[in-house]
Amino acid sequence: MAEQQLPPVVARMWGRENSPRHGPRPSLDLAGIVAAAIRIADRDGLEGVTMGSVANQVGVATMSLYRYVGSKDELLIIMADAATPEPPSIDGRPWRDYLTDWTRANRDFLLDRPWVLALGQHTPPAGPRALRWLDRALAALADTGLDHGARINIATTLTGYATRQAALAHALNGAAGRGAADQIGGLTGYGEILGQVLDPDRYPELTAAVRANAFGAEPEWVDDADFTFGLDLLLDGIETLIARGRG
Amino acid sequence: MAEQQLPPVVARMWGRENSPRHGPRPSLDLAGIVAAAIRIADRDGLEGVTMGSVANQVGVATMSLYRYVGSKDELLIIMADAATPEPPSIDGRPWRDYLTDWTRANRDFLLDRPWVLALGQHTPPAGPRALRWLDRALAALADTGLDHGARINIATTLTGYATRQAALAHALNGAAGRGAADQIGGLTGYGEILGQVLDPDRYPELTAAVRANAFGAEPEWVDDADFTFGLDLLLDGIETLIARGRG
DNA sequence: ACCTGAACACCGTTCAAGT
DNA sequence: ACCTGAACACCGTTCAAGT
């Protein structure tokens, strides 16, 4: 009975549609459609993903897709989860080692598939893959004495960090993009743009930062050293918290 | 000469288009168009914002807008910046006090205008308002002995945290939405959904968390206590860093 | 029960014509 | 130099008709 009140998207992500199954066998399945859509997104970005292009890729009429997904929005949500890899495995490592790896893998996956970034994180994790990541982070923190709420919070904060970092790196490196957003980051040099536009009276600190070349000509300020820097900030905070709980 | 190579969006955000100015006076200006678009987004969300609806709101034909913006994408980027308030003022407060306030104000603004979340953070900050926020964060950290790179990094991490927190809170509270994404968060009870869907063997830790009621029936786990919790994690990390630099 | 052709409503953008 | 009507290409979605 409870099954019935699952939101349709969630039900579909977990293969829980009630499928009556008589009459002609379906010539497709959701997984095939989603895989095709992911292939298109990997090749052409998110704006290449069209109900038409997906149907075409799968060899079917556009309207047939509506037998398998409620709407394009639904398809996008399901795609984002299906495109997420498995989290790294723990192998008995201490929590700090593992979560460093976990967060970096999270960022790397988003750099590989930047279109997942564009899909936004407006949805609490609800797909099988997203929840695996959450589960693994909780497992890594199992022996720290932190309660479930704190552990969930930490995992959330770390994904947030990975997401932000990936978005920034992508924006600054992404000379490839066609959209208006991509004009800002690309080859032109972010620091130079700021230098041209800032009034030193209203933006004194930023002006100083630009003059100190804090935004190098190359987008080095979002490279791996910076990633580690911010991550260690977070992990130090977590370590403090654990010590406090024990002390 | 340098002015010329500003990306068009940036030039427009800072009022730097080269305006030849003869012939009939324009009956509109960018600011008016952007204000109208923001009004629509506040009322109807982002999907209410259409070149047609904006033009209508401003009393002009749809195509006239293309005299003022290069594309709809550009308009959205400019909107996001224009809708950002001024950052809180420092008033000589110590960095930790101020950055706490700064981060919370950042989140609150995004909760007020959730459509800015949907616009994504795929662009490095380039508008007058976004850069004011960055400048103020740098100012707060001026006396800490951290270099520009570190200070920029910290500001970035804190905005990332505010964004993530706002996105999550909005998703979990947002029974109001129409999209497929909003079905997951709303009234149904996020914890209940997880409970129905999780296989305890593959998701042992999450299952335990759900049983421990870590995702209360009310979405209390993204409330203010949680916000402060994660933020303090970050600030503790920063404090450690500053102390290390001085020691 | 599934697939599909035709059709609808809508939307971003271009262009040539007006003043 | 600005505004606009007409038109184009495209897209998500519905529905009734086919098998």
Side-chain angles (χ1 to χ4, degrees):
Chain A
M1 45 139 210
E3 297 275 321
Q4 287 320 58
Q5 51 189 2
L6 277 183
V9 214
V10 179
R12 259 185 279 258
M13 276 197 286
W14 293 82
R16 296 286 187 82
E17 331 89 289
N18 28 0
S19 25
R21 282 305 106 96
H22 17 67
R25 262 247 236 57
S27 67
L28 302 167
D29 59 342
L30 223 203
I33 294 172
V34 170
I38 290 175
R39 226 173 308 134
I40 295 173
D42 282 340
R43 193 185 355 108
D44 304 329
L46 213 55
E47 73 260 45
V49 178
T50 278
M51 294 307 267
S53 71
V54 174
N56 191 22
Q57 177 84 204
V58 116
V60 96
T62 305
M63 312 68 87
S64 309
L65 298 182
Y66 289 92
R67 295 259 131 211
Y68 300 87
V69 243
S71 67
K72 189 189 178 184
D73 268 12
E74 247 191 61
L75 176 57
L76 293 175
I77 292 174
I78 300 174
M79 279 171 70
D81 192 75
T84 304
E86 278 286 318
S89 62
I90 298 192
D91 290 329
R93 282 178 285 173
W95 69 265
R96 186 162 180 146
D97 280 10
Y98 179 71
L99 288 185
T100 302
D101 194 8
W102 185 93
T103 309
R104 187 185 306 276
N106 194 159
R107 182 205 55 172
D108 288 344
F109 141 66
L110 290 169
L111 286 177
D112 250 35
R113 300 219 141 117
W115 55 267
V116 176
L117 283 169
L119 247 31
Q121 242 56 10
H122 337 126
T123 299
R129 291 295 176 71
L131 291 177
R132 272 294 281 177
W133 280 77
L134 181 50
D135 191 78
R136 295 300 78 199
L138 297 184
L141 294 164
D143 295 331
T144 55
L146 298 173
D147 67 25
H148 287 297
R151 283 150 64 193
I152 291 166
N153 225 296
I154 288 167
T156 300
T157 305
L158 291 178
T159 340
Y161 181 71
T163 305
R164 176 80 188 170
Q165 214 63 20
L168 227 55
H170 182 248
L172 287 175
N173 301 331
R178 304 129 288 275
D182 300 296
Q183 299 170 352
I184 297 171
L187 300 169
T188 326
Y190 179 59
E192 285 170 32
I193 294 179
L194 294 191
Q196 285 181 41
V197 114
L198 293 175
D199 168 2
D201 286 338
R202 277 189 57 73
Y203 302 84
E205 297 294 329
L206 253 183
T207 307
V210 170
R211 288 193 184 137
N213 209 26
F215 308 89
E218 297 311 296
E220 38 159 337
W221 66 290
V222 204
D223 69 358
D224 209 66
D226 280 306
F227 178 78
T228 308
F229 176 95
L231 181 55
D232 280 333
L233 240 58
L234 281 161
L235 295 173
D236 286 349
I238 295 167
E239 209 158 311
T240 306
L241 181 80
I242 293 174
R244 205 184 292 150
R246 290 209 165 114
Chain B
M1 45 140 204
E3 296 275 321
Q4 288 319 59
Q5 51 189 3
L6 278 182
V9 216
V10 178
R12 259 185 280 258
M13 275 197 288
W14 292 81
R16 297 286 186 83
E17 330 88 288
N18 28 359
S19 23
R21 280 308 103 96
H22 19 66
R25 263 249 237 54
S27 67
L28 301 167
D29 60 341
L30 223 203
I33 293 171
V34 170
I38 290 176
R39 225 173 307 134
I40 295 173
D42 282 339
R43 191 180 1 103
D44 304 329
L46 212 54
E47 73 260 45
V49 177
T50 279
M51 293 307 266
S53 71
V54 173
N56 190 24
Q57 175 85 201
V58 116
V60 96
T62 306
M63 313 69 87
S64 309
L65 298 182
Y66 289 93
R67 293 260 132 208
Y68 301 87
V69 244
S71 67
K72 189 189 176 183
D73 268 11
E74 249 191 59
L75 176 58
L76 293 174
I77 292 175
I78 301 173
M79 280 172 68
D81 192 74
T84 304
E86 278 286 318
S89 61
I90 297 193
D91 292 328
R93 281 177 286 172
W95 69 265
R96 186 162 179 145
D97 280 10
Y98 179 71
L99 288 184
T100 303
D101 194 7
W102 185 94
T103 309
R104 188 187 306 277
N106 193 160
R107 181 206 55 175
D108 287 344
F109 142 66
L110 290 168
L111 286 177
D112 249 36
R113 301 216 139 118
W115 54 267
V116 176
L117 283 170
L119 247 30
Q121 241 58 5
H122 336 124
T123 298
R129 291 294 175 70
L131 291 177
R132 273 294 281 176
W133 280 78
L134 181 50
D135 191 79
R136 297 298 80 200
L138 297 184
L141 293 165
D143 296 331
T144 54
L146 298 173
D147 66 27
H148 287 296
R151 282 149 66 194
I152 291 167
N153 224 296
I154 288 167
T156 299
T157 305
L158 291 177
T159 341
Y161 181 71
T163 305
R164 176 81 187 171
Q165 216 63 22
L168 227 55
H170 182 250
L172 287 174
N173 301 332
R178 305 131 286 274
D182 301 294
Q183 298 171 353
I184 297 172
L187 299 170
T188 325
Y190 180 60
E192 285 170 32
I193 293 179
L194 294 190
Q196 286 180 42
V197 114
L198 294 174
D199 168 2
D201 287 337
R202 278 190 56 74
Y203 303 84
E205 297 294 328
L206 254 182
T207 307
V210 170
R211 288 198 183 131
N213 210 26
F215 309 87
E218 297 310 294
E220 38 160 338
W221 65 291
V222 204
D223 69 357
D224 210 67
D226 280 305
F227 178 78
T228 308
F229 177 94
L231 181 55
D232 280 334
L233 240 55
L234 281 161
L235 296 173
D236 287 349
I238 296 168
E239 209 157 310
T240 305
L241 181 79
I242 293 173
R244 206 183 292 150
R246 288 207 165 117

